[in-house]
Amino acid sequence: MTSWRSPAGRGLSILFGPTVWALHFIVVYAAESLLCRTAGGDSHGILLASATVLAIVALGCHLRVEGRRLGEEGTARFLAGVAIALDGLSGIALLFVAGAGLALPACTGAMT
Amino acid sequence: MSAIRMTGSAGEKALPNPGPSPADELRSLETIWASPKGWRIVSDVNNTTIGHFYLATAFLFFLLAGVLGLLIRLQLAAPGNEFLSQETYNQIFTMHGTVMMFLFAVPAVEAVGILLLPAMLGARDLPFPRLGAFALWAYVVGGLVFFCTLFFGVAPSGGWFMYPPLTGMRFSPGVGADWWLLGIGFIEISAIAGAIEIIVGVLRTRAPGMTLARMPILAWTMLVFAGMIVFAFPAVILATILLELERAFDWPFFIAERGGDALLWQHLFWFFGHPDVYIIFLPAAGMVSMIVPTMAGTPLVGYRLIVVALIAVGSFSFGLWVHHMFTTGIPARSLGFFSAASMAVAIPSGIQVFAWIATIASGRLRLTVPSLFVIGFLLIFTLGGLTGVMVAMVPFDRQAHDSYFVVAHLHYVLFGGMVFPLFAAIYYWTPAFSRRALSERLGRWAFGLIFAGFNIAFLPMHITGLIGMPRRVYTYPAGMGWDGLNLVSTIGAFMLAAGVFAFLVDFIRHMRLSSKTAGNIWQAGTLEWLPNHPYGTRSIPRISSRDPLWTEPDLARDVEAGRYYLPRSATGARETIVTSPVDAEPQYLMRLSAPGWAHVAAAVFTAGFFLLLTVKLVTLAAMSGVLAVVSIIVWMWDSDPAPTEPVDIGGGITLPTYASGPVSLGWWAMVILMLVAAALYVSYAFGYLYLWTVSAQTWPDGAALPGLSRPLGAAGMLFASAAMLFGAHSLSQRDHVPGTAFMMLIGFGTLALLGGLALDLLAHWRAGLRPQASGYAAMVYANTVLQLQIAAAVTIMAAFAIARSIAGRLTSERRVVFDNLALLWGYAISQSLLGMALTHGFPRLVGP
């Protein structure tokens, strides 16, 4: 019987990039609501920058791991390619979000 | 696992079953897979029958909602028109949107999946045929009753997004909103059932050798589509539960003056609503990705990039929900996050469009009717996408919000992105099921009228909106500059309707369902074009490329001659090969359900429960609910057949006929169901924390909170329940399961779970908290409602497991029923503990 565990793990690995993007998004969005009630806007800026650096590092590490798998054959190579492209797209989307955040003030109403 | 050997210099293959087939082999397949005749067809579970019914029902709702659209256009054709009253208009535009989104678009793409996927994947059927049939009949009954509310003047009238406070009891005291909340909430459950079947089907029932890298793009899109349903639909299910609790019992989740917040609804609704746009669009894009290569006569350009784009769009679409709420006063930086995400999603969407264009450019496109609809889709959807980027810009959206510009944009995206591909798909795949293809001549008329009519109707709406006409108004005064544009839109809408009529004429004249189909008239390369029967293909091929019919010219002949895997019924029952999720290597032979009535009764009674509850017939609703549970138990009793000896499927492959644990499909389905439950609970936790951010002043201080003795006692009972779960699991793995001890552990463990939840409820009640008091209090009791809902399911499953154990149908080997119970039981304990930590811990953490 074919072992399903490691190939399924490889399959799930392609979702690493979008998952990092989603976590970054949730953290920076939810933190604005929470920090603006407690610590103020400056702390959100620091958090946004830190979360972005952390997320980019995580994507970079994953990209390296998947890059090594590009040398494999067949489905493994295909999945590695998908994972790398998704890491890249997630990185771009993440920088979009962080860029918009850094360009706008925290904790101010939309109408101001 | 042995694979097919390639021998000979000319690539001659050693086929799994090369010899002549025994005479009775085909006849036994036909007998086992025969559909019931006459009216008994209702009891059928075969994916082809269910898929046809599903698609027909969805199309019926498309026509009905289309007629409502025409009524809207008639009313707006002239200023000051009195064709419809204000209330009737409100009901009609609400039902037009609701029916199109919930009763047509999502079910239609799910129907295409149910109809096409098994054939496309080389499976005999989807893995849970009765679940698919249950989803269909629940949808048919629920949908038709819901639509009929229009004829009695009691349809919902608060818009398809049902914003409170307009839809709260104060401003909508009738039952219209309840019809929406209970009727649509219930149909979403049906959509989730279909999604679970599609995910498991795509990942585990592909033909041997059809690795993820060789899977047809439509299967990828259906996988992403179903995955998105799993995470998006629970948010709106939670929202409907909360609003119905508010309406029925005065729990003020959305009433600002009592510590609730109407915007909570918008957050939950759009967390579902925006991904829903992509839930509808992605499968349609998958259809296009199947049609374009065939019509261009060349493989799809950028297959891997399209897979990347699908997953990226599916993921990023969850970060866009606030772009429907740009004018609600959310802080500027947060708006920036959502605006940026809205632009980021355009990148993967663009990848798909360029891949289609490149495929067309690299081949030679035949201008058939499906091609015309694809071209129409490309033009209209791209325009809708561009206006989408415009409304993703906060400053522009401030101007266009709630105007007809948005109506134009959403129709360009949804009609262009989903309806055009669906028409293309119907013209393209009809020859796979019908004796005759649809007419090219009538098809061109249909396309021309629909394309021209659509643009004449909706292009002017961009301008109508930009010069100030608001949406959702039943009439408007003359002299605003809107008169002529509205009249043109109405003319276009009727032209569009004429195109749909031409299609209907074509369909009625030429569609003839038959086992002798027109066949592969387009010379397509994927498996659904193999000769197809109620049992799928005669034998199950081994796949070695993405377009097997192009790379292996003899494939159809060999498959039909029974030379590949499983050319017979190996166990005397309906069955399909279960393969590994990534490499698609055979793992076991799954026996599938035959036609029956229990799942039909379960669907009818489940619908009855929700619908009777809407009209406050509580006793009858309760009876219907009990009958639904009984029907489900009857349905499930035979669903876990005993293992038999391993069977030979050909090519030297011998497969077991039973699997448990992570290899079994039941385990996969249960894990996905747990993801649904987790998504629902995360939505709840979001709502709980959200209300704190907007109305912390109504939250209790430490003295008003329950003391810790009862919550700690409740936690102790939950841990005791967990210990009994581990005990039962340990006993279940012994060769001879000690029945009495095993059953007692299950029984007492379930009681401990219920007891823990009851003690937690008592703690809040004794502390003087009442759910009507504030948004906070309502949220605390909503936690109990959600926990009890899961605990009730665990209790029923535990009783079922005990009954099967007594009947000798649950053993250490035949154990899927217990494995599934254990999964949900463990999940229920974890979620209950998390809920207690949230409701007792968080107020202490942030309290004064």
Side-chain angles (χ1 to χ4, degrees):
Chain A
M1 178 131 340
T2 306
S3 166
W4 70 278
R5 287 175 190 277
S6 81
R10 285 206 319 264
L12 285 176
S13 174
I14 64 177
L15 297 177
F16 185 86
T19 306
V20 168
W21 174 84
L23 288 175
H24 174 267
F25 192 86
I26 290 167
V27 166
V28 298
Y29 169 60
E32 191 180 16
S33 299
L34 297 173
L35 289 180
C36 292
R37 281 194 59 84
T38 52
D42 290 345
S43 56
H44 186 260
I46 296 166
L47 183 135
L48 174 61
S50 316
T52 304
V53 170
L54 199 67
I56 293 292
V57 169
L59 287 177
C61 292
H62 185 253
L63 215 136
R64 272 190 60 158
V65 172
E66 292 293 340
R68 278 188 229 119
R69 289 181 178 162
L70 275 179
E72 295 178 26
E73 292 294 315
T75 317
R77 182 182 162 80
F78 169 80
L79 290 175
V82 171
I84 287 170
L86 280 169
D87 284 345
L89 271 179
S90 301
I92 293 169
L94 199 143
L95 289 175
F96 264 46
V97 170
L102 291 174
L104 292 161
C107 305
T108 57
M111 306 305 284
T112 57
Chain B
M1 190 69 63
S2 63
I4 297 174
R5 287 176 293 107
M6 299 291 288
T7 56
S9 57
E12 181 193 336
K13 284 191 299 190
L15 295 164
N17 288 293
S21 302
D24 61 341
E25 200 173 76
L26 180 59
R27 205 176 318 121
S28 77
L29 259 184
E30 287 171 341
T31 307
I32 289 165
W33 285 86
S35 289
K37 302 289 179 215
W39 63 274
R40 286 190 173 79
I41 193 77
V42 172
S43 68
D44 199 10
V45 293
N46 188 287
N47 77 289
T48 310
T49 310
I50 298 300
H52 284 138
F53 277 138
Y54 228 127
L55 203 51
T57 311
F59 206 79
L60 172 69
F61 283 120
F62 172 70
L63 296 177
L64 292 172
V67 170
L68 298 183
L70 292 178
L71 293 177
I72 292 172
R73 286 314 321 163
L74 276 178
Q75 169 64 17
L76 295 176
N81 198 353
E82 294 179 1
F83 171 62
L84 297 174
S85 71
Q86 183 178 356
E87 173 58 22
T88 307
Y89 180 86
N90 288 348
Q91 291 190 16
I92 284 178
F93 94 76
T94 299
M95 288 296 275
H96 170 71
T98 304
V99 173
M100 281 294 190
M101 294 299 283
F102 292 103
L103 298 182
F104 161 61
V106 175
V109 286
E110 210 156 58
V112 170
I114 288 174
L115 183 61
L116 288 176
L117 279 177
M120 204 171 265
L121 300 174
R124 293 221 181 277
D125 202 332
L126 285 170
F128 311 113
R130 286 187 184 170
L131 185 66
F134 169 83
L136 163 73
W137 293 117
Y139 156 61
V140 170
V141 175
L144 287 175
V145 173
F146 177 70
F147 191 85
C148 287
T149 58
L150 256 182
F151 302 124
F152 299 93
V154 292
S157 59
W160 81 275
F161 27 69
M162 290 288 288
Y163 284 174
L166 175 62
T167 52
M169 211 52 179
R170 187 171 165 196
F171 299 108
S172 296
V175 292
D178 301 309
W179 279 112
W180 195 100
L181 295 169
L182 289 167
I184 294 300
F186 153 68
I187 286 162
E188 285 151 9
I189 295 169
S190 152
I192 288 175
I196 291 175
E197 176 152 66
I198 285 172
I199 293 174
V200 180
V202 169
L203 286 176
R204 300 296 307 282
T205 62
R206 304 195 302 272
M210 187 187 279
T211 65
L212 287 181
R214 294 175 188 149
M215 198 160 81
I217 282 289
L218 186 68
W220 271 107
T221 59
M222 295 305 298
L223 184 62
V224 176
F225 152 86
M228 291 176 73
I229 285 182
V230 165
F231 291 106
F233 274 49
V236 74
I237 290 175
L238 176 77
T240 57
I241 291 172
L242 299 188
L243 187 52
E244 191 52 38
L245 284 173
E246 179 182 301
R247 291 177 55 84
F249 304 113
D250 193 29
W251 296 15
F253 298 102
F254 306 107
I255 301 174
E257 69 219 40
R258 291 162 65 191
D261 188 7
L263 279 187
L264 173 59
W265 171 273
Q266 294 198 28
H267 278 290
L268 292 173
F269 184 86
W270 289 116
F271 187 78
F272 142 81
H274 197 85
D276 193 43
V277 174
Y278 294 93
I279 282 172
I280 292 163
F281 163 67
L282 287 182
M287 297 169 204
V288 172
S289 292
M290 301 297 290
I291 296 169
V292 166
T294 301
M295 293 306 164
T298 184
L300 187 65
V301 172
Y303 172 92
R304 187 161 66 182
L305 271 178
I306 289 187
V307 172
V308 169
L310 291 170
I311 298 171
V313 169
S315 308
F316 298 165
S317 69
F318 281 90
L320 311 186
W321 82 91
V322 165
H323 88 201
H324 296 266
M325 302 165 64
F326 279 164
T327 58
T328 57
I330 287 170
R333 182 175 279 182
S334 288
L335 292 187
F337 295 150
F338 287 94
S339 184
S342 304
M343 284 178 266
V345 81
I347 300 172
S349 300
I351 289 175
Q352 291 188 80
V353 173
F354 283 111
W356 295 322
I357 293 171
T359 308
I360 291 170
S362 68
R364 190 181 171 84
L365 189 74
R366 285 176 283 166
L367 273 183
T368 59
V369 174
S371 302
L372 290 174
F373 275 105
V374 166
I375 292 167
F377 150 77
L378 278 171
L379 291 170
I380 291 174
F381 178 74
T382 306
L383 282 174
L386 288 175
T387 54
V389 175
M390 289 165 75
V391 290
M393 308 289 178
V394 179
F396 181 87
D397 186 72
R398 291 258 175 84
Q399 305 304 315
H401 189 77
D402 267 349
S403 77
Y404 260 82
F405 186 89
V406 177
V407 178
H409 158 68
L410 75 90
H411 281 90
Y412 266 76
V413 171
L414 292 172
F415 200 100
M418 187 268 173
V419 181
F420 271 82
L422 187 66
F423 275 114
I426 293 172
Y427 273 93
Y428 177 71
W429 274 295
T430 291
F433 299 96
S434 164
R435 204 164 59 231
R436 283 184 289 183
L438 298 183
S439 156
E440 278 288 308
R441 190 171 61 86
L442 273 170
R444 283 170 194 274
W445 271 102
F447 167 75
L449 286 166
I450 291 174
F451 184 79
F454 176 85
N455 284 296
I456 293 169
F458 292 100
L459 197 63
M461 281 187 201
H462 292 98
I463 303 176
T464 324
L466 287 176
I467 60 175
M469 181 165 169
R471 58 194 291 209
R472 308 182 201 114
V473 289
Y474 87 107
T475 191
Y476 54 92
M480 302 287 287
W482 308 337
D483 313 15
L485 291 166
N486 270 297
L487 185 61
V488 170
S489 287
T490 301
I491 292 167
F494 277 87
M495 192 184 280
L496 196 167
V500 175
F501 182 73
F503 163 76
L504 278 178
V505 171
D506 190 5
F507 195 78
I508 291 165
R509 283 186 61 186
H510 295 104
M511 178 72 174
R512 295 288 179 272
L513 290 178
S514 169
S515 55
K516 288 184 180 169
T517 63
N520 191 2
I521 63 167
W522 315 112
Q523 289 82 49
T526 39
L527 289 187
E528 76 274 20
W529 294 100
L530 286 172
N532 215 326
H533 311 279
Y535 44 85
T537 50
R538 170 79 169 82
S539 55
I540 312 293
R542 176 166 277 273
I543 302 305
S544 55
S545 70
R546 284 179 197 148
D547 300 294
L549 299 192
W550 285 350
T551 52
E552 296 179 58
D554 294 337
L555 190 71
R557 188 197 64 198
D558 290 335
V559 164
E560 189 63 1
R563 295 185 186 123
Y564 277 94
Y565 298 117
L566 199 66
R568 67 190 74 84
S569 170
T571 62
R574 295 183 178 203
E575 57 205 12
T576 197
I577 299 172
V578 175
T579 49
S580 57
V582 173
D583 294 317
E585 286 304 325
Q587 290 186 315
Y588 77 100
L589 195 68
M590 184 186 192
R591 282 161 290 168
L592 301 169
S593 322
W597 288 100
H599 64 279
V600 181
V604 172
F605 288 126
T606 309
F609 170 71
F610 283 95
L611 300 171
L612 290 165
L613 215 51
T614 310
V615 287
K616 312 282 190 289
L617 294 171
V618 179
T619 311
L620 279 177
M623 286 167 61
S624 194
V626 170
L627 286 171
V629 172
V630 170
S631 306
I632 290 170
I633 289 171
V634 172
W635 153 18
M636 296 305 294
W637 191 253
D638 292 320
S639 64
D640 184 34
T644 66
E645 288 300 311
V647 294
D648 178 17
I649 64 166
I653 298 178
T654 303
L655 294 179
T657 60
Y658 193 89
S660 59
V663 177
S664 91
L665 298 199
W667 188 93
W668 277 61
M670 183 52 79
V671 168
I672 297 166
L673 187 66
M674 283 159 53
L675 287 175
V676 172
L680 191 103
Y681 199 74
V682 167
S683 302
Y684 164 77
F686 166 81
Y688 179 92
L689 296 172
Y690 176 81
L691 280 195
W692 174 75
T693 65
V694 295
S695 59
Q697 71 282 359
T698 65
W699 283 45
D701 57 23
L705 289 167
L708 282 176
S709 58
R710 284 197 180 95
L712 287 175
M717 292 180 82
L718 293 176
F719 281 115
S721 180
M724 285 186 259
L725 164 60
F726 280 113
H729 186 262
S730 172
L731 289 184
S732 75
Q733 289 178 316
R734 294 189 187 174
D735 285 344
H736 296 288
V737 181
T740 310
F742 178 66
M743 287 186 280
M744 283 178 71
L745 282 172
I746 294 177
F748 285 115
T750 312
L751 285 177
L753 170 65
L754 293 170
L757 292 175
L759 194 57
D760 182 47
L761 177 65
L762 190 68
H764 292 295
W765 191 264
R766 283 286 170 84
L769 194 69
R770 296 293 179 272
Q772 295 83 2
S774 65
Y776 161 77
M779 271 294 176
V780 170
Y781 282 93
N783 174 60
T784 307
V785 169
L786 296 182
Q787 308 298 8
L788 286 175
Q789 180 186 290
I790 298 276
V794 171
T795 307
I796 293 168
M797 287 176 70
F800 185 68
I802 290 171
R804 286 182 75 89
S805 190
I806 292 169
R809 287 172 172 239
L810 203 167
T811 64
S812 57
E813 190 183 10
R814 190 183 180 184
R815 52 176 299 126
V816 166
V817 169
F818 177 75
D819 287 346
N820 285 353
L821 166 65
L823 280 173
L824 195 67
W825 186 356
Y827 174 81
I829 293 170
S830 310
Q831 186 183 286
S832 301
L833 286 168
L834 183 68
M836 286 172 57
L838 186 69
T839 55
H840 294 284
F842 185 74
R844 284 184 167 81
L845 193 70
V846 299

